[in-house]
Amino acid sequence: NGWTADPSKFCLGLPGAIAPLGEFDPLGFTKDLPVQEIKRFREAEVTHGRVAMLATVGYGVGENFHPFFNGEVIGPANTHLAQVQEIAPFFFLWLATSILTAELGRARIGWEEPLDAIEKNKEVEGKTWLSKLNDNYYPGDIGFDPLGLKPQDPEEFAEMQTKELNNGRLAMFAAMGMIVQEQVTGQTLF
């Protein structure tokens, strides 16, 4: 992707700072942090943004389209997972195992082994201990691009990454709003 840490830039030059907020860090979370910590924060932001984007689509689709489980999974999307666990426990087990497998794969690609991280983090100022991203790992880039959409040009990649981050940021707020609304009203959104 062509990114190298630049200490003179906001968030070491990682993409994502655009108008109108620009270099938005009012509480100074990234001030004076080492590269590892900033990369770890970005990894969390990208991952949570991706999950939130899927969740916002899932709310709209899941509440209006019921082709699975003989149409028995209905009502507010907040309750769907519990309904699936009750109706189809083996499917729920498969789903949980699939998520665990995907997370372990992501951890193996992007993160140091915990015992190695303890040793390597002795040199890192910051809050990490058991967690350390691999030095050559770019936050969020687990090598999964079956459609070949990842740009090869570093500037195009930074632009696409910024778009993904901003869509993920919006989706995180949208998902929070959807979850809270359903919890408060007990009704579907759509």
Side-chain angles (χ1 to χ4, degrees):
N1 60 32
W3 177 79
T4 54
D6 183 350
S8 68
K9 292 184 178 177
F10 178 71
C11 281
L12 304 175
L14 283 168
I18 64 166
L21 299 177
E23 298 176 354
F24 185 76
D25 186 13
L27 299 178
F29 286 124
T30 60
K31 186 179 181 190
D32 300 325
L33 284 181
V35 173
Q36 277 300 321
E37 281 293 292
I38 290 177
K39 283 176 57 178
R40 200 166 64 94
F41 282 175
R42 178 53 55 89
E43 173 75 9
E45 182 180 22
V46 169
T47 302
H48 286 90
R50 289 174 180 167
V51 169
M53 287 187 277
L54 290 171
T56 56
V57 170
Y59 268 79
V61 172
E63 289 185 353
N64 295 300
F65 187 61
H66 312 285
F68 303 113
F69 310 109
N70 298 321
E72 293 180 44
V73 178
I74 57 172
N78 287 357
T79 65
H80 287 188
L81 196 57
Q83 291 179 54
V84 168
Q85 185 177 11
E86 187 177 307
I87 293 168
F90 290 111
F91 176 79
F92 183 83
L93 179 63
W94 173 84
L95 180 64
T97 303
S98 298
I99 292 170
L100 176 65
T101 302
E103 283 297 306
L104 287 173
R106 186 175 71 88
R108 302 268 325 172
I109 292 167
W111 298 81
E112 296 277 354
E113 293 291 333
L115 296 178
D116 295 337
I118 291 171
E119 274 305 306
K120 292 180 179 179
N121 281 336
K122 289 179 181 177
E123 305 296 321
V124 176
E125 282 186 39
K127 301 169 183 72
T128 59
W129 182 59
L130 283 172
S131 63
K132 179 184 181 304
L133 290 172
N134 287 323
D135 293 329
N136 60 352
Y137 175 72
Y138 182 82
D141 188 2
I142 58 173
F144 182 75
D145 186 21
L147 300 177
L149 299 175
K150 179 182 172 186
Q152 299 304 312
D153 178 60
E155 288 181 20
E156 288 178 22
F157 178 79
E159 182 180 337
M160 183 177 268
Q161 181 74 54
T162 298
K163 289 176 183 178
E164 180 186 19
L165 285 164
N166 286 319
N167 287 325
R169 291 166 181 162
L170 178 61
M172 285 187 268
F173 281 107
M176 283 188 289
M178 292 174 171
I179 292 166
V180 168
Q181 182 175 337
E182 283 199 355
Q183 287 298 107
V184 170
T185 66
Q187 303 295 316
T188 62
L189 297 172
F190 306 102

